[in-house]
Amino acid sequence: QSWRVWPVPEGGEFTVLAADVGQGTAALVQTRSHTLMFDTGPVVGASDAGRRVLVPLLRGLGVSSLDELLLSHGDADHVGGAASVLQAVKVARMRSSLDDSHPLREARDPRGHRIAQHTCVAGQSWSWDGVQFTVLHPTTDDLAQRENRSDNALSCVLQVRSRSGRVALLTG
């Protein structure tokens, strides 16, 4: 086994690494054998947090693929680095509250394959390596009233719970 900067969590546990991307959010959640990125930080002029911070971070940690890229909402300080991340690593699926017309809904991986898209809806849940992931927001009612809601009000909120009861709450 190769040396790692960041330890692999035991079964049923997870790690969260919050990246310093300036204004906005970017966090990496890892279980024993799965990786999720929550948001990708801002774009500022010709530079974005994906290229400047996240891609080097992923490479440094030895992460070449993401099981999921979760984008909380469409504000530039949360999705600004997404295109750079998508160009650099394989992403199995993307979950977001983005409007169907948002360009990232047509995202493709480095080989040109369309990335599976899911809309965040409260109640969605899955388990990786004994760690429970649950989407707490937005509700179907929130999404149905999208035209009357701000992007922030439609933010995906994700709860991550370990087998031992540790909880992380990731919000947009």
Side-chain angles (χ1 to χ4, degrees), residues 29 31 36 124-126 128 131-135 158-160:
V29 180
T31 67
L36 176 142
Q124 293 171 332
S125 66
W126 64 97
W128 287 339
V131 175
Q132 189 67 35
F133 293 77
T134 305
V135 176
L158 182 67
Q159 176 183 286
V160 184

Side-chain angles (χ1 to χ4, degrees), residues 87-166:
Q87 289 172 358
V89 299
K90 181 181 180 221
V91 175
R93 80 185 141 274
M94 198 167 87
R95 188 181 313 262
S96 72
S97 65
L98 299 175
D99 186 87
D100 289 340
S101 65
H102 195 285
L104 286 169
R105 286 289 194 170
E106 297 300 319
R108 298 193 179 274
D109 69 15
R111 293 178 292 150
H113 299 116
R114 192 164 183 279
I115 296 169
Q117 298 280 329
H118 300 279
T119 299
C120 285
V121 179
Q124 293 171 332
S125 66
W126 64 97
S127 179
W128 287 339
D129 305 316
V131 175
Q132 189 67 35
F133 293 77
T134 305
V135 176
L136 302 178
H137 192 268
T139 66
T140 53
D141 288 343
D142 293 324
L143 293 168
Q145 297 178 37
R146 177 182 295 279
E147 65 280 349
N148 300 322
R149 308 260 192 229
S150 69
D151 276 352
N152 283 324
L154 293 172
S155 287
C156 301
V157 175
L158 182 67
Q159 176 183 286
V160 184
R161 182 180 298 274
S162 74
R163 193 176 290 146
S164 65
R166 284 186 328 115

Side-chain angles (χ1 to χ4, degrees), residues 15-88:
T15 58
V16 178
L17 191 151
D20 183 358
V21 293
Q23 180 179 336
T25 308
L28 192 67
V29 180
Q30 291 188 292
T31 67
R32 183 146 189 82
S33 60
H34 295 277
T35 305
L36 176 142
M37 180 169 285
F38 186 92
D39 282 348
T40 59
V43 61
V44 180
S47 180
D48 68 77
R51 182 177 303 115
R52 273 188 347 271
V53 178
L54 301 177
V55 171
L57 173 66
L58 293 170
R59 288 187 178 136
L61 294 174
V63 175
S64 59
S65 66
L66 298 172
D67 295 287
E68 183 152 327
L69 173 59
L70 196 155
L71 300 173
S72 65
H73 65 286
D75 287 353
D77 56 340
H78 295 264
V79 301
S84 292
V85 170
L86 290 165
Q87 289 172 358

